[in-house]
Amino acid sequence: MSATYQEHGDIGVITLNNPPVNGLGHATRAGIVDGVGRALDNPAIKAIVITGAGKGFSGGADIREFNSPKALQEPSLHTVIRVIEEADKPVVAAIHGVAMGGGLELALGCHYRVATAGAQIALPEVKLGILPGAGGTQRLPRVLGVETALNMIVTGNTVLSEKLSATKLFDQMIAGDLIEGALAFAKKIADTRPLPKVRDIRLNYPNADGYLQFARNTVRAVAGKFPAPLKCVDAVAAAISKKFDDGIRYERDLFLELVQTTESKALRHAFFGERAASKVPDVPSDTPLRDIQSAGVIGAGTMGAGIAMNFANAGIPVKMLEMKQEALDKGLATIRKNYENTMKKGKLTQEQLDKRIGLITGTMAYADLAQADIVVEAVFEDMAVKEKVFTQLDAVMKPGAILASNTSTLDVDQIAAFTKRPQDVIGTHFFSPANVMKLLEIVRGEKTAKDVLATTLALAKKIRKTGVVSGVCDGFIGNRMVEQYIRQAGFLLEEGCLPEQVDKAAEKFGFAMGPFRMSDLAGNDIGWYIRKRRYIEKPEVTYSKVADLLCEKGRFGQKTSAGWYDYKAGDRKAYASDEVNQMIIAHSASLGMTRRKISEQEIVERLVYALVNEGALILEEGIAMRASDIDMVYLTGYGFPLFRGGPMFYADTVGLPNVLMSIRKYAKGSHPEAWKPAPLLEILAAEGKAFNA
Ligand code: T1G
């Protein structure tokens, strides 16, 4: 039973018991109504306490039920709250750990609320593209005041219970055992009448229009493509202007509208995708982890320094190794500068800065790393250099240490073979800037031990990264897909586009940065180096030569103040370059190609479906375990728009038959070799299925 009822003397206690977060699924809701009924029917019972088993009171409605009949199956959460509010005996919510979303709304429907300190209080629905749909927008302002409540609802931010102890949200904070305290409180108020109801609190907010207009302007500026934040303002405005029950109806309408939006489904997809990514079917969730108390990083360049910061930020002491004192000093100085910049933005105190700096030391001796529990190599992307490093590591590192490579494309199995302990070798592909980007591709080698993989996934969480497991292949998941994206961008230039047109179309679709601005930022020479290797290894893979022509001019991007665009000193703005545009037009002519006008739709479809098709191959080959893993890679590492849920989710929303039809259309274009449909895409499209089942 996901909600139990027990009688403690003359108090009836209902315990929510639906692990892991006491989600208010249908069974739990029915259990609460059943418990309240039994307490009301027993004349010996004078009051009711509702509490949560496990880590917290309740994490809210069961998100997995959304867009399914169960979500609205009676008793709905509204019905549960009405049964509680209309009970003729006092109902006390006893809160610990977490009271979020529908969980907090349930508590707001109770006559009284008590809590222990440290409980996470929030209405985070907006983070799922919806809004509190069971009275939260109407009741929370009545206990916290309009401004505090609106801020919590629009941001979804969590506030700790003790910070709200002086508000009407809580009638008492419980210092000792929650249940004992709640029972004592229930006895104390058992005969108090009338029963206080949040809905009866008058909400008085004079001159609301001015404040609400300010709130709308502020929210509109940051909401981007998400409709929910502004609707949150509308719902709270209704709490001020409408009668309570009218406000509830208005809130319900807004909720039902938002829960159907693609934006909300995308956010919920990302919510579950983030959590699913750390699950590996053949690695039991209770696999014992290796203890990570200290770390080492080989290389103090941009990546190495950023990686070292991740460990320090998580409180793990880390030693950075360089071969030259000058490089080591430069790395340590970069780290200090990064922290000082963060402190200047008010996101770090001096004390925190000093602590983190104190956790990072430098050395030029491999022996100094010997006792580290994990070491991450972040040296030049060249197999011969990796071989030297891993041979050294194999010789000095203590048994059981995890040997990780930050390689972005090289074969992790080959790197593992440089050691006598391939089971301890794994890929940890950080994204630049490594101390900022959330994505961590975790490359599982053929011989990587299961506990090494489990430990690295847990470490990813500890250093606040989204860890996504990839198999070994050229480019793993993200870079392998971005390769196809960049190929199409190049072909589009040959056929009639200029960089600005392609970037504008991609950015209008929602990418943080179009392919050419992104390449200028990362450095065009990186792609050039990889293509030169590819021309030898995979001559069958065609590329537009226009990017090579650009690099032959030394136009590597922002770092050379000239790339696809021109740049001015001290100005990161990208200015269209006549020289480059003329070069592109001349290149088309040299190919005998008649340039044509290309629509925004074609640009976006070719860029995005190139990702989707390669993603389907990656899924087929088992390089990625699930489609949502691919989406998490692209959402957290490549600036894919969150409101579209990731390339595979987006393809599902378009409909795979439509995606396949477009791919077949582009296969009739100038580069059919780049548009061979992935068999998995063809199968799913034929069966009317989706990537994200
Ligand atoms: N519904 C279903 N599953 C949930 C869930 C939820 N609300 N919250 C968490 N889970 C799953 C999660 O997917 C994971 O599953 C496991 O629980 C542990 O989660 C009417 C409509 C509560 C702070 O948005 O913020 O109420 O991977 O790893 O770090 O107005 O979960 O184990 O299979 O995150 O301890 C509003 C979302 C819902 C809260 C706990 N509530 N959850 O953090 O565990 S909408 C939320 C969280 C709503 C009403 C509306 C966190 C947490 P698995 P976890 P955690």
Side-chain angles (χ1 to χ4, degrees):
M1 195 64 168
S2 46
T4 56
Y5 173 75
Q6 273 178 324
E7 294 181 345
H8 294 243
D10 56 0
I11 310 291
V13 177
I14 296 168
T15 304
L16 310 181
N17 188 14
N18 181 20
V21 297
N22 294 332
L24 298 171
H26 178 258
T28 308
R29 301 196 299 267
I32 297 168
V33 170
D34 173 64
V36 172
R38 289 170 62 182
L40 297 182
D41 289 350
N42 180 348
I45 295 298
K46 302 184 67 176
I48 301 166
V49 167
I50 300 180
T51 189
K55 285 197 301 189
F57 180 73
S58 168
D62 189 331
I63 313 171
R64 291 182 198 283
E65 282 187 353
F66 286 179
N67 304 114
S68 82
K70 268 195 163 184
L72 301 174
Q73 190 181 350
E74 287 298 343
S76 70
L77 190 50
H78 270 283
T79 302
V80 173
I81 291 169
R82 192 175 58 251
V83 163
I84 290 168
E85 208 167 46
E86 290 172 2
D88 58 7
K89 296 178 182 174
V91 183
V92 180
I95 292 169
H96 77 293
V98 170
M100 283 191 176
L104 180 56
E105 292 172 302
L106 175 67
L108 285 165
C110 295
H111 305 109
Y112 299 94
R113 286 155 299 281
V114 299
T116 50
Q120 297 177 73
I121 309 299
L123 289 178
E125 288 85 343
V126 71
K127 293 181 181 174
L128 298 172
I130 46 182
L131 54 67
T137 64
Q138 308 301 303
R139 289 190 175 87
L140 195 67
R142 283 172 161 79
V143 294
L144 294 187
V146 167
E147 296 178 19
T148 303
L150 180 59
N151 189 284
M152 284 180 72
I153 292 165
V154 160
T155 61
N157 285 348
T158 295
V159 180
L160 291 179
S161 49
E162 62 272 20
K163 298 266 192 263
L164 302 169
S165 59
T167 69
K168 290 180 190 151
L169 177 58
F170 295 120
D171 299 280
Q172 186 173 315
M173 295 304 285
I174 305 295
D177 177 85
L178 175 64
I179 299 302
E180 274 174 34
L183 290 172
F185 179 85
K187 286 184 187 325
K188 189 175 74 174
I189 52 88
D191 300 323
T192 305
R193 294 297 182 276
L195 295 175
K197 296 176 185 176
V198 172
R199 57 173 293 138
D200 294 339
I201 297 172
R202 272 190 56 69
L203 190 54
N204 186 19
Y205 193 89
N207 311 319
D209 293 350
Y211 170 71
L212 291 169
Q213 192 50 50
F214 162 75
R216 284 196 173 88
N217 294 343
T218 309
V219 167
R220 191 174 291 116
V222 295
K225 305 274 190 180
F226 292 103
L230 272 177
K231 302 283 185 195
C232 288
V233 181
D234 295 342
V236 172
I240 300 168
S241 61
K242 296 178 185 291
K243 287 202 187 73
F244 183 83
D245 287 328
D246 294 340
I248 286 282
R249 270 189 290 280
Y250 181 68
E251 173 198 80
R252 193 95 193 112
D253 292 345
L254 292 180
F255 172 82
L256 291 174
E257 181 190 328
L258 287 170
V259 80
Q260 294 303 334
T261 61
T262 304
E263 290 84 356
S264 176
K265 291 172 184 169
L267 285 170
R268 282 176 264 146
H269 173 65
F271 174 87
F272 288 118
E274 167 99 27
R275 288 156 179 80
S278 59
K279 290 175 179 56
V280 184
D282 69 324
V283 178
S285 57
D286 59 358
T287 300
L289 306 181
R290 296 193 188 181
D291 193 17
I292 303 290
Q293 294 298 326
S294 65
V297 174
I298 310 293
T302 312
M303 287 307 282
I307 293 168
M309 289 174 72
N310 284 302
F311 287 110
N313 296 347
I316 300 171
V318 54
K319 276 198 181 86
M320 241 181 359
L321 180 133
E322 259 296 353
M323 302 322 288
K324 293 197 186 73
Q325 189 62 48
E326 185 195 345
L328 187 55
D329 294 345
K330 187 163 180 281
L332 291 166
T334 302
I335 290 170
R336 175 173 287 282
K337 192 158 94 2
N338 288 341
Y339 279 135
E340 282 167 354
N341 288 342
T342 307
M343 189 169 72
K344 276 191 203 118
K345 292 178 198 153
K347 293 181 182 162
L348 204 62
T349 63
Q350 182 65 53
E351 187 194 352
Q352 287 169 322
L353 181 149
D354 295 340
K355 180 168 182 298
R356 292 183 189 185
I357 292 280
L359 286 169
I360 303 175
T361 52
T363 178
M364 290 192 286
Y366 270 91
D368 286 351
L369 302 181
Q371 293 313 309
D373 299 310
I374 182 170
V375 62
V376 180
E377 162 273 315
V379 297
F380 187 60
E381 191 71 351
D382 175 276
M383 199 52 102
V385 179
K386 307 286 186 193
E387 179 171 9
K388 273 209 200 84
V389 169
F390 275 83
T391 307
Q392 283 263 43
L393 290 176
D394 194 29
V396 301
M397 296 307 294
K398 70 179 182 183
I402 293 178
L403 313 183
S405 170
N406 175 53
T407 180
S408 56
T409 58
L410 296 176
D411 185 330
V412 171
D413 291 329
Q414 201 179 333
I415 291 172
F418 296 141
T419 75
K420 297 185 209 50
R421 44 176 130 177
Q423 73 281 1
D424 296 339
V425 177
I426 194 164
T428 50
H429 177 209
F430 288 83
F431 286 73
S432 182
N435 54 307
V436 173
M437 293 300 281
K438 261 183 80 66
L439 177 60
L440 177 64
E441 272 186 328
I442 298 172
V443 186
R444 179 180 190 174
E446 196 187 324
K447 298 198 171 87
T448 301
K450 290 185 179 183
D451 67 329
V452 168
L453 179 57
T455 303
T456 308
L457 277 162
L459 178 65
K461 273 191 183 159
K462 187 167 172 62
I463 62 176
R464 304 169 69 81
K465 296 290 181 189
T466 299
V468 179
V469 179
S470 169
V472 175
C473 72
D474 190 346
F476 313 135
I477 297 172
N479 281 349
R480 176 169 157 183
M481 287 168 68
V482 83
E483 179 94 14
Q484 299 310 319
Y485 173 87
I486 295 287
R487 272 181 87 193
Q488 286 307 316
F491 294 145
L492 283 162
L493 293 185
E494 284 180 350
E495 296 169 37
C497 291
L498 293 173
E500 219 166 0
Q501 183 193 2
V502 176
D503 281 351
K504 273 204 172 66
E507 287 156 22
K508 189 174 166 194
F509 174 80
F511 279 97
M513 212 178 254
F516 297 109
R517 285 198 324 124
M518 180 179 78
S519 191
D520 268 359
L521 178 67
N524 299 317
D525 49 330
I526 294 174
W528 193 28
Y529 180 79
I530 291 172
R531 282 194 306 280
K532 284 194 266 191
R533 200 178 79 205
R534 191 88 74 231
Y535 293 151
I536 298 160
E537 289 167 358
K538 291 186 182 170
E540 75 281 5
V541 179
T542 54
Y543 293 88
S544 160
K545 291 287 181 248
V546 68
D548 297 346
L549 294 174
L550 186 83
C551 290
E552 284 155 19
K553 292 172 175 287
R555 296 181 69 103
F556 295 156
Q558 289 190 18
K559 60 186 169 185
T560 55
S561 302
W564 292 105
Y565 297 92
D566 291 334
Y567 297 90
K568 295 173 182 154
D571 175 357
R572 295 177 75 88
K573 193 171 172 333
Y575 296 91
S577 161
D578 285 340
E579 179 190 347
V580 169
N581 291 347
Q582 289 314 313
M583 177 193 80
I584 292 165
I585 293 164
H587 180 64
S588 303
S590 73
L591 296 173
M593 292 182 82
T594 309
R595 293 175 64 82
R596 65 186 172 87
K597 187 163 174 22
I598 297 175
S599 71
E600 234 175 54
Q601 181 184 343
E602 180 176 343
I603 293 172
V604 167
E605 285 187 347
R606 286 175 61 175
L607 293 177
V608 177
Y609 294 170
L611 296 176
V612 172
N613 200 46
E614 195 64 26
L617 291 170
I618 286 170
L619 260 183
E620 251 171 65
E621 296 165 23
I623 294 294
M625 292 182 288
R626 52 185 80 83
S628 61
D629 281 2
I630 295 172
D631 287 330
M632 293 319 295
V633 165
Y634 251 77
L635 288 170
T636 59
Y638 290 80
F640 197 91
L642 177 58
F643 72 92
R644 297 194 190 269
M648 313 310 273
F649 182 89
Y650 174 69
D652 289 341
T653 55
V654 168
L656 298 190
N658 297 320
V659 173
L660 184 57
M661 191 164 53
S662 297
I663 285 178
R664 287 186 173 138
K665 179 177 66 177
Y666 299 125
K668 297 192 181 88
S670 62
H671 288 276
E673 75 282 6
W675 286 113
K676 190 177 173 317
L680 175 64
L681 172 59
E682 290 180 306
I683 293 165
L684 293 176
E687 294 173 357
K689 289 183 178 165
F691 287 120
N692 289 287

